[in-house]
Amino acid sequence: MSFTPRPYQLDAIEALRQGWAAGQNRLAVVLPTGAGKTVVFSHLAHQMLNSLGGRRALVIAHREELIEQAASKLLAVDPMLRVGIVKAQRDDHHDADVIVASVQTLAVAKRREAIRDIGLVIVDECHHAAAPTYMEVLRHFGAWNGVPVAGFTATMTREDGGLAEVWEDVVFRLDILDMISDGYLCDVRGKTITVDTLDLNKVKTRGGDLVDGQLGKALEDSGALDAIAKAYAEHAADRPGVVFTPTVATAQAAAESLRAVGIKAAPVWGDMGRDERRTTLARYEAGEVQVLTNCMVLTEGFDAPHTSCIVVARPTKSAGLYVQMVGRGLRPAPGKRDALLLDVMGAATRHKLASMVDLTEREIGQHKSGKSLRQIAEEHVASEKRRVLAARVEAEEINLFGSSAIRWLRTPDGTWFIRLTSAMVLFLVRDPGTRLYRMRRWTQEGGVHPPKDDAARPLAEALAWLEQQARVLAPGALIARQAKWRSGQPSAKQLGLCRRIGIQVPRGSSAGDVADLIDQDRVGRVLGQLLLPAA
């Protein structure tokens, strides 16, 4: 047996088997493009056959390439397996251990009824499974009557919904960033190609995404295809790549634009003759064609690891479709450093379009042109750590000051201080780039003075040292948080002063509350005007 499964592939199989043992039977696995889902379900079928009591496994796919790919992987995993293919004129299911069939063929009642003794159903690209044809086929093979069903996809999204009716749970999910970090996929660097003349606002939405025909016309009319060719020649001249377009005409025109700048390009599309398409794909594989342009035929089942540039010339609102397109360029290959993503955008748009950050389900902030996905994610993590640390330190500071018996206040710009008299203030300044503090004293006559012992101290130590100085320099009644005078009513003098200097006094404020408002305003103004000496 070959194709030794990777650790995460074994984990996915184990998650499915545990889910079935727990009583669920329609379970899904979400693996990024390039994670080897065909290898996973081939090993799954191989493992399960012994426990099916003589019954067989059925793999359902919806495209010719996927059917052939699945059959070859099953044989690579276990050359002793009897693998049969059912599609169009082929009907090799009688003696097969595993049957790989097209959903279109199984939609014909006579063809599916001829296939018996199915004990395991595997659905490739299972985000299609809410379609009526799939539902009918799955019901026939017992998906709602206890037969274990495993669905595999890179993206569990379907624009018209309905997937929750099919899949009871996603039992295993692997994020693309984990695959990149572990070296199973290439990192991807994004660059935006902004076409000022491309107006996507005029393109309507149907079924949750931009209308293909209108989008294709907008791309052609705006000169976007020539801009794409120019950008490819500038940024990816040495890279084999794939261009995704919304229509056949756009794919053909994009190939012409690329050829015009000296790049060997060829289009492929759904209704292209089978032999011609195979020949074109083989030429790309051999390096005779540098760039394939295509109208939505290479989003699934296309496996060319040497691809190192993806051009999304099909702006989309669907994160699922976006993942399918970009995923074609992320498989590692000898000599391949990374994948380059060229994202075609209009100057402005009312549509919320998918972008590189949608490749991961993690929240990593905004796409930054020129940055790789991993860089964006790492910068976001670092930013979040700084934010959490700042919040923790802030809470720590507030708790430290709040537990003190001394009346600490804070200026509007965040400086902690103790007002000793109307002409003297002690305050703390942060040592630049550290978590340490120094004490400073301000007097009306002399301005700011450092103490004789001007050491930088941790917050709690600086707090204690400054409080000790405050008790020496000021009467306890003035600086004590619990001084009796603070709980009384504000004086007319206090309220008059607040009115004159524009301080709003909340209803029910005590004398101490109003004194704090006045001191924060006054000290804030004084310290804000000072050019403090560097610590």
Side-chain angles (χ1 to χ4, degrees):
M1 194 166 81
S2 57
F3 274 104
T4 303
R6 297 167 177 172
Y8 68 83
Q9 293 172 333
L10 292 173
D11 291 343
I13 292 171
E14 182 61 23
L16 285 165
R17 300 192 70 161
Q18 287 184 6
W20 289 329
Q24 295 179 303
N25 69 299
R26 299 185 308 282
L27 302 175
V29 168
V30 178
L31 293 172
T33 300
K37 59 184 173 58
T38 314
V39 172
V40 177
F41 69 64
S42 297
H43 278 279
L44 174 68
H46 171 81
Q47 286 186 22
M48 290 285 290
L49 282 174
N50 290 334
S51 62
L52 294 181
R55 290 180 296 166
R56 306 180 295 170
L58 172 66
V59 177
I60 303 173
H62 74 289
R63 292 239 324 278
E64 179 179 343
E65 289 88 352
L66 297 174
I67 293 167
E68 300 291 348
Q69 194 179 94
S72 64
K73 281 279 170 44
L74 282 158
L75 287 171
V77 165
D78 185 356
M80 300 305 292
L81 274 181
R82 293 173 298 177
V83 179
I85 291 178
V86 173
K87 62 166 188 173
Q89 278 71 48
R90 294 186 65 175
D91 209 22
D92 311 327
H93 64 83
H94 298 286
D95 298 321
D97 303 310
V98 182
I99 302 159
V100 185
S102 78
V103 70
Q104 294 88 348
T105 299
L106 296 179
V108 179
K110 184 171 67 173
R111 299 294 294 272
R112 66 174 177 263
E113 287 165 4
I115 299 173
R116 301 183 181 277
D117 302 322
I118 297 300
L120 169 67
V121 177
I122 293 167
V123 182
D124 196 7
E125 304 296 352
C126 71
H127 54 281
H128 296 292
T133 303
Y134 274 91
M135 297 279 276
E136 186 177 20
V137 170
L138 289 172
R139 285 188 188 280
H140 172 81
F141 287 106
W144 275 264
N145 293 313
V147 173
V149 183
F152 291 85
T153 182
T155 169
M156 188 58 86
T157 58
R158 179 180 161 90
E159 299 309 323
D160 54 359
L163 286 172
E165 297 173 22
V166 182
W167 304 110
E168 294 171 86
D169 195 11
V170 174
V171 291
F172 188 85
R173 190 186 292 269
L174 190 64
D175 193 84
I176 200 167
L177 278 168
D178 295 321
M179 295 285 292
I180 291 171
S181 297
D182 293 343
Y184 292 123
L185 291 180
C186 291
D187 199 2
V188 53
R189 180 166 50 85
K191 191 162 190 64
T192 301
I193 305 172
T194 302
V195 182
D196 292 338
T197 51
L198 176 59
D199 184 3
L200 296 178
N201 291 333
K202 295 179 181 177
V203 179
K204 294 181 179 177
T205 297
R206 184 186 304 138
D209 205 0
L210 303 178
V211 176
D212 290 341
Q214 293 182 18
L215 182 55
K217 189 172 188 310
L219 286 163
E220 292 172 47
D221 291 350
S222 65
L225 302 181
D226 290 338
I228 291 165
K230 182 180 177 183
Y232 203 103
E234 182 180 350
H235 302 291
D238 60 341
R239 291 177 181 257
V242 175
V243 180
F244 289 92
T245 69
T247 66
V248 173
T250 324
Q252 294 168 337
E256 289 177 14
S257 293
L258 285 160
R259 289 193 291 264
V261 296
I263 294 171
K264 292 180 180 177
V268 290
W269 61 93
D271 293 333
M272 188 179 190
R274 183 183 302 174
D275 291 341
E276 186 183 2
R277 187 160 82 188
R278 282 181 176 169
T279 300
T280 303
L281 293 176
R283 291 179 64 215
Y284 176 69
E285 187 69 37
E288 297 168 18
V289 169
Q290 183 181 347
V291 179
L292 289 176
T293 65
N294 82 105
C295 172
M296 308 312 294
V297 296
L298 302 180
T299 54
E300 298 168 353
F302 172 66
D303 189 1
H306 75 298
T307 302
S308 66
C309 182
I310 294 293
V311 181
V312 178
R314 195 262 174 260
T316 177
K317 298 167 76 169
S318 166
L321 174 57
Y322 191 89
V323 169
Q324 293 279 5
M325 290 188 285
V326 179
R328 299 300 127 193
L330 302 190
R331 283 185 170 87
K336 183 174 172 181
R337 304 180 309 279
D338 60 11
L340 176 63
L341 166 62
L342 299 180
D343 230 337
V344 180
M345 305 290 280
T349 178
R350 60 183 171 83
H351 302 294
K352 186 182 185 302
L353 299 175
S355 69
M356 193 170 78
V357 297
D358 291 301
L359 295 175
T360 173
E361 294 192 357
R362 297 177 191 168
E363 178 57 53
I364 62 170
Q366 297 297 309
H367 166 58
K368 302 177 185 74
S369 188
K371 297 272 187 176
S372 79
L373 186 67
R374 190 171 180 177
Q375 285 174 326
I376 295 169
E378 287 173 350
E379 287 176 8
H380 180 76
V381 168
S383 173
E384 282 297 293
K385 283 181 178 176
R386 288 194 297 272
R387 185 186 64 76
V388 170
L389 177 61
R392 183 174 63 76
V393 169
E394 178 82 359
E396 182 181 86
E397 290 182 355
I398 289 169
N399 287 339
L400 279 169
F401 289 106
S403 62
S404 171
I406 297 290
R407 175 179 165 242
W408 281 96
L409 296 173
R410 203 172 196 182
T411 66
D413 68 357
T415 301
W416 290 101
F417 71 91
I418 302 172
R419 187 179 76 82
L420 305 181
T421 69
S422 59
M424 187 185 300
V425 174
L426 298 181
F427 60 98
L428 291 178
V429 293
R430 174 81 60 82
D431 225 26
T434 73
R435 308 302 315 167
L436 303 177
Y437 291 80
R438 297 177 190 267
M439 188 191 88
R440 293 289 182 265
R441 181 173 59 159
W442 173 85
T443 61
Q444 195 166 1
E445 297 82 15
V448 176
H449 310 273
K452 290 180 181 178
D453 177 12
D454 192 23
R457 296 171 167 85
L459 181 60
E461 189 180 323
L463 170 68
W465 192 75
L466 194 146
E467 288 189 350
Q468 181 184 1
Q469 299 298 309
R471 289 191 179 94
V472 171
L473 294 169
L478 181 65
I479 63 173
R481 182 186 297 279
Q482 300 299 328
K484 290 183 179 179
W485 67 268
R486 293 182 57 82
S487 58
Q489 292 295 315
S491 69
K493 186 176 179 181
Q494 281 183 310
L495 296 174
L497 177 58
C498 287
R499 281 194 297 273
R500 286 197 303 278
I501 61 179
I503 295 176
Q504 295 286 329
V505 178
R507 187 186 298 274
S509 295
S510 67
D513 295 333
V514 177
D516 291 347
L517 291 172
I518 294 169
D519 284 347
Q520 284 171 313
D521 180 79
R522 280 180 163 174
V523 174
R525 291 172 192 269
V526 169
L527 297 185
Q529 293 171 358
L530 296 175
L531 181 62
L532 298 180

